[in-house]
Amino acid sequence: TSARPQRKSPLCYTCLNPNKSAPVTPDEQFLLSQHDYRALLAGVCHQCLLKRLHSDETKVKLNKETTAHNALHLKFSKATDLWTAKETCVYIGKSMNMKGSQREAIWVNFLHQEERLSSYVGKDYLKPRGIQFHLMDVERQMTAQHYVTEFNKSLYDKDVMAQIFFIPSEALLILNGDEIVGCLTVEPYMLGNFVKLTNNTRKKDKTFQATEY
Ligand SMILES: [Zn+2]
């Protein structure tokens, strides 16, 4: 336990309603209680969520592909510093055969009809890691997005009709009953691989080009 005093977030369920029951034992850390569900559905600050799910011992990696799972879909807002969850059901598809040095991409579909039915890209670490790594990835990306949005606002204020696009990132807590058994970050799948196209200078196919350059 850290000695650093925590700043209370006025919107965080856990800050406002500290759990008075006995602290969870390490083997029960990833079993979600009624209090946890209430907190996650109502919204918890980044610090409270990390405190609840941080573990140096328990590392997760999803090894069951092409299966449907119940999950909690977690979104982070930098403006309010709150994580809020929705119950959902996801289908974890096949690997996209795209591997970075640390993470790999997997097809994810939301079976919950509230989400649009398009495909999402899930990212999991190649080696099992603590859930906090996924949560910190999303927090970092959504913090960057917050500043991109502020920048876009200032462009509009100056009548510059341009926008920088940024792909939002969210977290999925994969559940087995009430137990968290995995974690992925998810991003909407963008049609067309712009990075690949712009990097692909040597293999440029000139057949369909109208203008030489
Ligand atoms: Zn809090």
Side-chain angles (χ1 to χ4, degrees), residues 169-185:
S169 175
E170 294 152 1
L172 272 183
L173 295 177
I174 308 295
L175 303 176
N176 179 11
D178 292 320
E179 193 185 2
I180 301 168
V181 293
C183 188
L184 294 176
T185 57

Side-chain angles (χ1 to χ4, degrees), residues 6-16 43-49 81-82:
Q6 191 184 325
R7 191 174 55 90
K8 270 198 181 184
S9 162
L11 296 170
C12 168
Y13 183 91
T14 307
C15 283
L16 299 175
V44 286
C45 70
H46 185 59
Q47 218 175 344
C48 282
L49 187 67
D81 186 45
L82 276 194

Side-chain angles (χ1 to χ4, degrees), residues 4-208:
R4 195 153 48 102
Q6 191 184 325
R7 191 174 55 90
K8 270 198 181 184
S9 162
L11 296 170
C12 168
Y13 183 91
T14 307
C15 283
L16 299 175
N17 307 281
N19 196 351
K20 292 189 183 76
S21 53
V24 284
T25 60
D27 56 317
E28 283 176 350
Q29 188 186 356
F30 297 104
L31 266 181
L32 295 174
S33 66
Q34 285 300 312
H35 186 272
D36 291 323
Y37 279 112
R38 236 173 268 141
L40 288 168
L41 296 175
V44 286
C45 70
H46 185 59
Q47 218 175 344
C48 282
L49 187 67
L50 280 188
K51 211 177 188 182
R52 175 65 186 82
L53 296 179
H54 179 106
S55 171
D56 292 323
E57 288 82 42
T58 307
K59 300 180 169 80
V60 292
K61 168 155 177 62
L62 215 56
N63 45 26
K64 261 197 221 158
E65 285 178 1
T66 66
T67 43
H69 299 267
N70 287 324
L72 285 175
H73 187 187
L74 285 170
K75 299 188 186 195
F76 178 70
S77 158
K78 178 66 185 171
T80 54
D81 186 45
L82 276 194
W83 285 90
T84 39
K86 261 201 221 166
E87 289 171 289
T88 189
C89 185
V90 289
Y91 176 77
I92 310 292
K94 287 203 164 77
S95 166
M96 295 174 77
N97 290 320
M98 284 164 69
K99 272 184 191 169
S101 57
Q102 293 202 63
R103 298 194 292 175
E104 64 175 325
I106 307 158
W107 288 112
V108 173
N109 282 89
F110 282 89
L111 304 179
H112 197 275
Q113 300 287 317
E114 248 177 71
E115 288 299 327
R116 51 203 185 97
L117 294 169
S118 56
S119 292
Y120 280 69
V121 179
K123 287 179 184 167
D124 198 5
Y125 281 97
L126 297 171
K127 290 183 187 150
R129 299 206 85 168
I131 287 172
Q132 66 270 16
F133 288 96
H134 294 271
L135 299 176
M136 289 188 292
D137 287 337
V138 172
E139 194 265 349
R140 252 194 310 271
Q141 191 150 342
M142 295 312 285
T143 299
Q145 193 197 30
H146 178 75
Y147 294 114
V148 167
T149 306
E150 291 300 311
F151 181 71
N152 283 340
K153 256 201 280 186
S154 72
L155 286 181
Y156 267 66
D157 286 343
K158 291 181 186 111
D159 280 335
V160 180
M161 292 299 143
Q163 271 207 63
I164 297 177
F165 285 98
F166 204 91
I167 300 176
S169 175
E170 294 152 1
L172 272 183
L173 295 177
I174 308 295
L175 303 176
N176 179 11
D178 292 320
E179 193 185 2
I180 301 168
V181 293
C183 188
L184 294 176
T185 57
V186 279
E187 295 167 6
Y189 175 66
M190 294 293 165
L191 271 179
N193 193 333
F194 296 107
V195 179
K196 217 176 206 170
L197 276 175
T198 49
N199 282 347
N200 220 355
T201 47
R202 259 180 236 162
K203 287 181 187 169
K204 204 176 269 173
D205 182 355
K206 295 198 174 179
T207 322
F208 301 105

